[in-house]
PDB file of all heavy atoms in Angstrom:
ATOM      1  N   LEU A 179     -43.152  51.115 169.353  1.00  0.00           N
ATOM      2  CA  LEU A 179     -42.457  51.329 170.629  1.00  0.00           C
ATOM      3  C   LEU A 179     -41.022  51.792 170.430  1.00  0.00           C
ATOM      4  O   LEU A 179     -40.489  52.519 171.249  1.00  0.00           O
ATOM      5  CB  LEU A 179     -42.458  50.041 171.463  1.00  0.00           C
ATOM      6  CG  LEU A 179     -43.796  49.497 171.940  1.00  0.00           C
ATOM      7  CD1 LEU A 179     -43.574  48.337 172.915  1.00  0.00           C
ATOM      8  CD2 LEU A 179     -44.639  50.583 172.607  1.00  0.00           C
ATOM      9  N   MET A 180     -40.397  51.337 169.340  1.00  0.00           N
ATOM     10  CA  MET A 180     -38.997  51.675 169.072  1.00  0.00           C
ATOM     11  C   MET A 180     -38.810  51.908 167.573  1.00  0.00           C
ATOM     12  O   MET A 180     -39.404  51.207 166.751  1.00  0.00           O
ATOM     13  CB  MET A 180     -38.061  50.528 169.495  1.00  0.00           C
ATOM     14  CG  MET A 180     -38.132  50.138 170.948  1.00  0.00           C
ATOM     15  SD  MET A 180     -37.081  48.687 171.282  1.00  0.00           S
ATOM     16  CE  MET A 180     -35.436  49.398 171.036  1.00  0.00           C
ATOM     17  N   PHE A 181     -37.971  52.874 167.232  1.00  0.00           N
ATOM     18  CA  PHE A 181     -37.573  53.050 165.845  1.00  0.00           C
ATOM     19  C   PHE A 181     -36.372  52.164 165.536  1.00  0.00           C
ATOM     20  O   PHE A 181     -35.657  51.711 166.441  1.00  0.00           O
ATOM     21  CB  PHE A 181     -37.207  54.509 165.568  1.00  0.00           C
ATOM     22  CG  PHE A 181     -38.388  55.431 165.509  1.00  0.00           C
ATOM     23  CD1 PHE A 181     -38.524  56.480 166.416  1.00  0.00           C
ATOM     24  CD2 PHE A 181     -39.364  55.262 164.530  1.00  0.00           C
ATOM     25  CE1 PHE A 181     -39.614  57.331 166.357  1.00  0.00           C
ATOM     26  CE2 PHE A 181     -40.465  56.118 164.469  1.00  0.00           C
ATOM     27  CZ  PHE A 181     -40.584  57.142 165.375  1.00  0.00           C
ATOM     28  N   ASN A 182     -36.140  51.907 164.261  1.00  0.00           N
ATOM     29  CA  ASN A 182     -34.930  51.238 163.803  1.00  0.00           C
ATOM     30  C   ASN A 182     -33.863  52.270 163.475  1.00  0.00           C
ATOM     31  O   ASN A 182     -34.176  53.433 163.179  1.00  0.00           O
ATOM     32  CB  ASN A 182     -35.228  50.384 162.563  1.00  0.00           C
ATOM     33  CG  ASN A 182     -36.156  49.231 162.874  1.00  0.00           C
ATOM     34  OD1 ASN A 182     -35.823  48.354 163.670  1.00  0.00           O
ATOM     35  ND2 ASN A 182     -37.331  49.217 162.247  1.00  0.00           N
ATOM     36  N   ASP A 183     -32.618  51.858 163.511  1.00  0.00           N
ATOM     37  CA  ASP A 183     -31.514  52.776 163.236  1.00  0.00           C
ATOM     38  C   ASP A 183     -31.594  53.389 161.845  1.00  0.00           C
ATOM     39  O   ASP A 183     -31.152  54.521 161.626  1.00  0.00           O
ATOM     40  CB  ASP A 183     -30.173  52.052 163.404  1.00  0.00           C
ATOM     41  CG  ASP A 183     -29.904  51.652 164.848  1.00  0.00           C
ATOM     42  OD1 ASP A 183     -30.502  52.269 165.756  1.00  0.00           O
ATOM     43  OD2 ASP A 183     -29.101  50.724 165.068  1.00  0.00           O
ATOM     44  N   HIS A 184     -32.156  52.646 160.893  1.00  0.00           N
ATOM     45  CA  HIS A 184     -32.191  53.119 159.509  1.00  0.00           C
ATOM     46  C   HIS A 184     -33.437  53.949 159.185  1.00  0.00           C
ATOM     47  O   HIS A 184     -33.591  54.425 158.062  1.00  0.00           O
ATOM     48  CB  HIS A 184     -32.114  51.930 158.547  1.00  0.00           C
ATOM     49  CG  HIS A 184     -33.200  50.911 158.748  1.00  0.00           C
ATOM     50  ND1 HIS A 184     -34.503  51.099 158.330  1.00  0.00           N
ATOM     51  CD2 HIS A 184     -33.177  49.697 159.355  1.00  0.00           C
ATOM     52  CE1 HIS A 184     -35.226  50.056 158.649  1.00  0.00           C
ATOM     53  NE2 HIS A 184     -34.452  49.182 159.270  1.00  0.00           N
ATOM     54  N   ASP A 185     -34.344  54.138 160.131  1.00  0.00           N
ATOM     55  CA  ASP A 185     -35.553  54.908 159.865  1.00  0.00           C
ATOM     56  C   ASP A 185     -35.215  56.378 159.605  1.00  0.00           C
ATOM     57  O   ASP A 185     -34.436  56.990 160.342  1.00  0.00           O
ATOM     58  CB  ASP A 185     -36.515  54.814 161.050  1.00  0.00           C
ATOM     59  CG  ASP A 185     -37.132  53.431 161.189  1.00  0.00           C
ATOM     60  OD1 ASP A 185     -37.205  52.711 160.189  1.00  0.00           O
ATOM     61  OD2 ASP A 185     -37.532  53.077 162.320  1.00  0.00           O
ATOM     62  N   THR A 186     -35.822  56.937 158.578  1.00  0.00           N
ATOM     63  CA  THR A 186     -35.575  58.334 158.240  1.00  0.00           C
ATOM     64  C   THR A 186     -36.400  59.261 159.133  1.00  0.00           C
ATOM     65  O   THR A 186     -37.386  58.840 159.748  1.00  0.00           O
ATOM     66  CB  THR A 186     -35.942  58.607 156.779  1.00  0.00           C
ATOM     67  OG1 THR A 186     -37.360  58.435 156.612  1.00  0.00           O
ATOM     68  CG2 THR A 186     -35.182  57.660 155.838  1.00  0.00           C
ATOM     69  N   GLU A 187     -36.014  60.515 159.172  1.00  0.00           N
ATOM     70  CA  GLU A 187     -36.749  61.488 159.981  1.00  0.00           C
ATOM     71  C   GLU A 187     -38.168  61.672 159.454  1.00  0.00           C
ATOM     72  O   GLU A 187     -39.112  61.840 160.239  1.00  0.00           O
ATOM     73  CB  GLU A 187     -36.016  62.824 159.977  1.00  0.00           C
ATOM     74  CG  GLU A 187     -36.536  63.807 161.012  1.00  0.00           C
ATOM     75  CD  GLU A 187     -36.427  63.273 162.443  1.00  0.00           C
ATOM     76  OE1 GLU A 187     -35.466  62.540 162.741  1.00  0.00           O
ATOM     77  OE2 GLU A 187     -37.327  63.601 163.256  1.00  0.00           O
ATOM     78  N   ASP A 188     -38.317  61.630 158.128  1.00  0.00           N
ATOM     79  CA  ASP A 188     -39.649  61.762 157.537  1.00  0.00           C
ATOM     80  C   ASP A 188     -40.545  60.599 157.963  1.00  0.00           C
ATOM     81  O   ASP A 188     -41.716  60.800 158.322  1.00  0.00           O
ATOM     82  CB  ASP A 188     -39.526  61.804 156.009  1.00  0.00           C
ATOM     83  CG  ASP A 188     -40.881  61.961 155.341  1.00  0.00           C
ATOM     84  OD1 ASP A 188     -41.550  62.985 155.591  1.00  0.00           O
ATOM     85  OD2 ASP A 188     -41.279  61.052 154.575  1.00  0.00           O
ATOM     86  N   TYR A 189     -39.994  59.376 157.931  1.00  0.00           N
ATOM     87  CA  TYR A 189     -40.760  58.204 158.369  1.00  0.00           C
ATOM     88  C   TYR A 189     -41.146  58.332 159.840  1.00  0.00           C
ATOM     89  O   TYR A 189     -42.284  58.027 160.224  1.00  0.00           O
ATOM     90  CB  TYR A 189     -39.952  56.929 158.158  1.00  0.00           C
ATOM     91  CG  TYR A 189     -40.571  55.723 158.829  1.00  0.00           C
ATOM     92  CD1 TYR A 189     -41.608  55.024 158.227  1.00  0.00           C
ATOM     93  CD2 TYR A 189     -40.133  55.305 160.098  1.00  0.00           C
ATOM     94  CE1 TYR A 189     -42.201  53.931 158.854  1.00  0.00           C
ATOM     95  CE2 TYR A 189     -40.717  54.218 160.731  1.00  0.00           C
ATOM     96  CZ  TYR A 189     -41.748  53.534 160.109  1.00  0.00           C
ATOM     97  OH  TYR A 189     -42.333  52.468 160.745  1.00  0.00           O
ATOM     98  N   LYS A 190     -40.217  58.772 160.659  1.00  0.00           N
ATOM     99  CA  LYS A 190     -40.480  58.887 162.095  1.00  0.00           C
ATOM    100  C   LYS A 190     -41.639  59.847 162.372  1.00  0.00           C
ATOM    101  O   LYS A 190     -42.522  59.558 163.185  1.00  0.00           O
ATOM    102  CB  LYS A 190     -39.228  59.350 162.830  1.00  0.00           C
ATOM    103  CG  LYS A 190     -38.105  58.328 162.868  1.00  0.00           C
ATOM    104  CD  LYS A 190     -36.887  58.891 163.608  1.00  0.00           C
ATOM    105  CE  LYS A 190     -35.764  57.879 163.643  1.00  0.00           C
ATOM    106  NZ  LYS A 190     -34.564  58.400 164.332  1.00  0.00           N
ATOM    107  N   GLN A 191     -41.630  60.990 161.692  1.00  0.00           N
ATOM    108  CA  GLN A 191     -42.685  61.975 161.921  1.00  0.00           C
ATOM    109  C   GLN A 191     -44.046  61.451 161.484  1.00  0.00           C
ATOM    110  O   GLN A 191     -45.060  61.664 162.166  1.00  0.00           O
ATOM    111  CB  GLN A 191     -42.352  63.277 161.189  1.00  0.00           C
ATOM    112  CG  GLN A 191     -41.155  64.014 161.760  1.00  0.00           C
ATOM    113  CD  GLN A 191     -41.298  64.287 163.249  1.00  0.00           C
ATOM    114  OE1 GLN A 191     -42.340  64.763 163.703  1.00  0.00           O
ATOM    115  NE2 GLN A 191     -40.255  63.986 164.017  1.00  0.00           N
ATOM    116  N   LYS A 192     -44.092  60.741 160.358  1.00  0.00           N
ATOM    117  CA  LYS A 192     -45.351  60.163 159.898  1.00  0.00           C
ATOM    118  C   LYS A 192     -45.836  59.079 160.859  1.00  0.00           C
ATOM    119  O   LYS A 192     -47.031  58.973 161.143  1.00  0.00           O
ATOM    120  CB  LYS A 192     -45.164  59.577 158.499  1.00  0.00           C
ATOM    121  CG  LYS A 192     -44.993  60.628 157.409  1.00  0.00           C
ATOM    122  CD  LYS A 192     -44.824  59.965 156.042  1.00  0.00           C
ATOM    123  CE  LYS A 192     -44.671  61.013 154.953  1.00  0.00           C
ATOM    124  NZ  LYS A 192     -44.467  60.392 153.609  1.00  0.00           N
ATOM    125  N   ALA A 193     -44.902  58.272 161.356  1.00  0.00           N
ATOM    126  CA  ALA A 193     -45.267  57.186 162.270  1.00  0.00           C
ATOM    127  C   ALA A 193     -45.811  57.728 163.589  1.00  0.00           C
ATOM    128  O   ALA A 193     -46.780  57.193 164.146  1.00  0.00           O
ATOM    129  CB  ALA A 193     -44.055  56.293 162.525  1.00  0.00           C
ATOM    130  N   LEU A 194     -45.205  58.785 164.101  1.00  0.00           N
ATOM    131  CA  LEU A 194     -45.658  59.366 165.364  1.00  0.00           C
ATOM    132  C   LEU A 194     -47.083  59.908 165.258  1.00  0.00           C
ATOM    133  O   LEU A 194     -47.848  59.856 166.226  1.00  0.00           O
ATOM    134  CB  LEU A 194     -44.709  60.485 165.790  1.00  0.00           C
ATOM    135  CG  LEU A 194     -43.302  60.062 166.221  1.00  0.00           C
ATOM    136  CD1 LEU A 194     -42.434  61.295 166.471  1.00  0.00           C
ATOM    137  CD2 LEU A 194     -43.350  59.192 167.472  1.00  0.00           C
ATOM    138  N   LYS A 195     -47.443  60.415 164.104  1.00  0.00           N
ATOM    139  CA  LYS A 195     -48.768  61.000 163.903  1.00  0.00           C
ATOM    140  C   LYS A 195     -49.882  59.952 163.871  1.00  0.00           C
ATOM    141  O   LYS A 195     -51.061  60.298 163.903  1.00  0.00           O
ATOM    142  CB  LYS A 195     -48.783  61.803 162.600  1.00  0.00           C
ATOM    143  CG  LYS A 195     -47.896  63.035 162.605  1.00  0.00           C
ATOM    144  CD  LYS A 195     -48.381  64.079 163.596  1.00  0.00           C
ATOM    145  CE  LYS A 195     -47.534  65.339 163.536  1.00  0.00           C
ATOM    146  NZ  LYS A 195     -48.000  66.363 164.508  1.00  0.00           N
ATOM    147  N   LYS A 196     -49.531  58.667 163.824  1.00  0.00           N
ATOM    148  CA  LYS A 196     -50.541  57.616 163.742  1.00  0.00           C
ATOM    149  C   LYS A 196     -51.222  57.342 165.080  1.00  0.00           C
ATOM    150  O   LYS A 196     -52.264  56.697 165.123  1.00  0.00           O
ATOM    151  CB  LYS A 196     -49.910  56.327 163.213  1.00  0.00           C
ATOM    152  CG  LYS A 196     -49.500  56.407 161.755  1.00  0.00           C
ATOM    153  CD  LYS A 196     -48.918  55.080 161.275  1.00  0.00           C
ATOM    154  CE  LYS A 196     -48.545  55.141 159.803  1.00  0.00           C
ATOM    155  NZ  LYS A 196     -47.976  53.847 159.324  1.00  0.00           N
ATOM    156  N   SER A 197     -50.629  57.806 166.186  1.00  0.00           N
ATOM    157  CA  SER A 197     -51.240  57.576 167.503  1.00  0.00           C
ATOM    158  C   SER A 197     -51.715  58.888 168.103  1.00  0.00           C
ATOM    159  O   SER A 197     -51.257  59.976 167.722  1.00  0.00           O
ATOM    160  CB  SER A 197     -50.234  56.916 168.452  1.00  0.00           C
ATOM    161  OG  SER A 197     -49.259  57.842 168.889  1.00  0.00           O
ATOM    162  N   LEU A 198     -52.627  58.806 169.048  1.00  0.00           N
ATOM    163  CA  LEU A 198     -53.112  60.008 169.724  1.00  0.00           C
ATOM    164  C   LEU A 198     -52.021  60.670 170.546  1.00  0.00           C
ATOM    165  O   LEU A 198     -51.947  61.897 170.634  1.00  0.00           O
ATOM    166  CB  LEU A 198     -54.290  59.653 170.639  1.00  0.00           C
ATOM    167  CG  LEU A 198     -55.599  59.216 169.973  1.00  0.00           C
ATOM    168  CD1 LEU A 198     -56.616  58.857 171.040  1.00  0.00           C
ATOM    169  CD2 LEU A 198     -56.140  60.294 169.052  1.00  0.00           C
ATOM    170  N   LEU A 199     -51.158  59.871 171.164  1.00  0.00           N
ATOM    171  CA  LEU A 199     -50.144  60.415 172.066  1.00  0.00           C
ATOM    172  C   LEU A 199     -48.899  60.909 171.336  1.00  0.00           C
ATOM    173  O   LEU A 199     -48.089  61.647 171.905  1.00  0.00           O
ATOM    174  CB  LEU A 199     -49.765  59.364 173.116  1.00  0.00           C
ATOM    175  CG  LEU A 199     -50.914  58.905 174.013  1.00  0.00           C
ATOM    176  CD1 LEU A 199     -50.426  57.896 175.048  1.00  0.00           C
ATOM    177  CD2 LEU A 199     -51.560  60.099 174.715  1.00  0.00           C
ATOM    178  N   GLU A 200     -48.694  60.482 170.100  1.00  0.00           N
ATOM    179  CA  GLU A 200     -47.635  60.989 169.218  1.00  0.00           C
ATOM    180  C   GLU A 200     -46.239  60.892 169.830  1.00  0.00           C
ATOM    181  O   GLU A 200     -45.438  61.808 169.726  1.00  0.00           O
ATOM    182  CB  GLU A 200     -47.934  62.434 168.798  1.00  0.00           C
ATOM    183  CG  GLU A 200     -49.216  62.563 167.994  1.00  0.00           C
ATOM    184  CD  GLU A 200     -49.434  63.949 167.435  1.00  0.00           C
ATOM    185  OE1 GLU A 200     -48.554  64.817 167.607  1.00  0.00           O
ATOM    186  OE2 GLU A 200     -50.502  64.185 166.832  1.00  0.00           O
ATOM    187  N   ILE A 201     -45.953  59.751 170.481  1.00  0.00           N
ATOM    188  CA  ILE A 201     -44.623  59.516 171.026  1.00  0.00           C
ATOM    189  C   ILE A 201     -44.164  58.110 170.657  1.00  0.00           C
ATOM    190  O   ILE A 201     -44.969  57.250 170.296  1.00  0.00           O
ATOM    191  CB  ILE A 201     -44.565  59.670 172.566  1.00  0.00           C
ATOM    192  CG1 ILE A 201     -45.480  58.630 173.239  1.00  0.00           C
ATOM    193  CG2 ILE A 201     -44.926  61.085 172.989  1.00  0.00           C
ATOM    194  CD1 ILE A 201     -45.312  58.578 174.746  1.00  0.00           C
ATOM    195  N   CYS A 202     -42.862  57.905 170.758  1.00  0.00           N
ATOM    196  CA  CYS A 202     -42.272  56.569 170.626  1.00  0.00           C
ATOM    197  C   CYS A 202     -41.684  56.245 172.000  1.00  0.00           C
ATOM    198  O   CYS A 202     -40.584  56.695 172.337  1.00  0.00           O
ATOM    199  CB  CYS A 202     -41.189  56.577 169.547  1.00  0.00           C
ATOM    200  SG  CYS A 202     -40.397  54.984 169.263  1.00  0.00           S
ATOM    201  N   PRO A 203     -42.403  55.488 172.841  1.00  0.00           N
ATOM    202  CA  PRO A 203     -42.063  55.397 174.260  1.00  0.00           C
ATOM    203  C   PRO A 203     -40.848  54.555 174.598  1.00  0.00           C
ATOM    204  O   PRO A 203     -40.325  54.662 175.700  1.00  0.00           O
ATOM    205  CB  PRO A 203     -43.326  54.784 174.874  1.00  0.00           C
ATOM    206  CG  PRO A 203     -43.903  53.955 173.776  1.00  0.00           C
ATOM    207  CD  PRO A 203     -43.626  54.726 172.529  1.00  0.00           C
TER     208      PRO A 203
END
Side-chain angles (χ1 to χ4, degrees):
L179 296 188
M180 301 175 68
F181 287 118
N182 294 298
D183 293 338
H184 57 76
D185 290 336
T186 65
E187 192 60 34
D188 181 61
Y189 169 82
K190 291 179 180 179
Q191 292 305 312
K192 289 180 179 179
L194 291 174
K195 294 294 183 180
K196 291 182 178 180
S197 74
L198 292 178
L199 299 182
E200 297 187 4
I201 62 171
C202 181

